[in-house]
Amino acid sequence: SQELEQSPQSLIVQEGKNLTINCTSSKTLYGLYWYKQKYGEGLIFLMMLQKGGEEKSHEKITAKLDEKKQQSSLHITASQPSHAGIYLCGASLRGSQGNLIFGKGTKLSVKP
Amino acid sequence: EAQVTQNPRYLITVTGKKLTVTCSQNMNHEYMSWYRQDPGLGLRQIYYSMNVEVTDKGDVPEGYKVSRKEKRNFPLILESPSPNQTSLYFCASRRTGTYEQYFGPGTRLTVT
């Protein structure tokens, strides 16, 4: 089974709407990383969360880490077409030797 | 500019013809890694290297080879490519003691 589950798999929102993407780990998290990928291109680092309860923001994107649930949520406020792309969460897990595993990604489309 | 570069960016080849995808980073990172990205499967790690002359298998190493003779370079070698290796490949690097990975722009490989 997938160690890192992302939901939803895809999302279509109207410009200006808020949205949330979730990432849940089946194992203990040592760090959670959010990346954005434009279709067929490289990954752009968004933010990293390491401590339970930690919350970080970058422009209109906020990510939180819930240590108890082993889950992170990525929230976009007032979405814009420039937010469209694939959002991937990556995690360093116990026993991973510092390697990251990734969720399958959430494809976000923003309709103008 | 700090970056990870990959070459070529696009490659179409035939089954069995040996190829090498190069990866180079200018950040003096110890750790480097190769991933492949496939629809519905997400990013999967092929091989990684903790430092020069130290390489190890990731989750999907079959059909691939790597070498790490210099700190900055980590080429991915396909000795006898097959159509199931058609994919989008990413190289990444990070500094030891950190978990944030820097990704290259990707190499789209098609094996016919």
Side-chain angles (χ1 to χ4, degrees):
Chain A
S1 64
Q2 187 78 4
E3 290 177 312
L4 212 55
E5 294 277 355
Q6 271 188 251
S7 63
Q9 288 185 341
S10 65
L11 197 51
I12 302 173
V13 299
Q14 199 71 38
E15 182 176 358
K17 295 294 186 185
N18 303 336
L19 63 105
T20 298
I21 298 168
N22 291 306
C23 176
T24 304
S25 173
S26 60
K27 295 184 178 180
T28 302
L29 288 169
Y30 284 128
L32 194 292
Y33 305 79
W34 284 101
Y35 288 86
K36 179 186 175 185
Q37 181 184 21
K38 291 202 172 180
Y39 303 114
E41 297 182 12
L43 280 69
I44 300 166
F45 173 76
L46 294 176
M47 55 193 89
M48 172 182 72
L49 304 164
Q50 286 190 300
K51 298 175 185 175
E54 189 172 12
E55 181 176 320
K56 288 188 177 178
S57 294
H58 173 69
E59 297 177 346
K60 292 186 178 179
I61 302 175
T62 300
K64 300 179 187 178
L65 181 62
D66 185 330
E67 198 173 40
K68 286 183 182 177
K69 293 182 181 178
Q70 295 297 300
Q71 182 180 75
S72 177
S73 59
L74 184 86
H75 185 76
I76 298 178
T77 305
S79 58
Q80 300 168 356
S82 61
H83 287 128
I86 299 172
Y87 289 82
L88 292 119
C89 64
S92 54
L93 305 178
R94 177 177 293 178
S96 67
Q97 296 184 293
N99 292 317
L100 290 185
I101 62 162
F102 287 87
K104 293 183 179 181
T106 295
K107 182 178 176 181
L108 172 64
S109 302
V110 180
K111 296 169 72 172
Chain B
E1 181 191 354
Q3 59 182 353
V4 179
T5 57
Q6 294 178 228
N7 282 293
R9 293 289 314 279
Y10 303 91
L11 180 60
I12 300 174
T13 190
V14 296
T15 298
K17 186 177 181 181
K18 181 179 178 180
L19 67 92
T20 299
V21 184
T22 65
C23 172
S24 183
Q25 50 92 7
N26 62 1
M27 296 169 278
N28 202 36
H29 287 169
E30 294 83 10
Y31 177 100
M32 297 185 75
S33 181
W34 276 104
Y35 298 88
R36 59 178 289 175
Q37 186 179 37
D38 303 288
L41 296 175
L43 270 174
R44 295 177 294 167
Q45 190 177 47
I46 303 170
Y47 268 95
Y48 65 98
S49 169
M50 301 294 280
N51 213 325
V52 176
E53 301 291 0
V54 180
T55 62
D56 212 340
K57 296 177 181 178
D59 298 318
V60 288
E62 295 77 22
Y64 304 94
K65 284 175 58 177
V66 292
S67 68
R68 187 90 183 274
K69 294 186 171 64
E70 305 165 284
K71 200 171 189 180
R72 62 184 293 128
N73 296 323
F74 190 43
L76 180 70
I77 303 155
L78 284 73
E79 295 270 3
S80 183
S82 62
N84 65 13
Q85 292 178 299
T86 292
S87 188
L88 180 58
Y89 291 87
F90 289 102
C91 179
S93 73
R94 66 170 171 82
R95 189 174 305 282
T96 297
T98 69
Y99 289 102
E100 179 186 341
Q101 293 194 25
Y102 294 79
F103 282 81
T107 295
R108 187 169 292 282
L109 172 65
T110 302
V111 184
T112 61

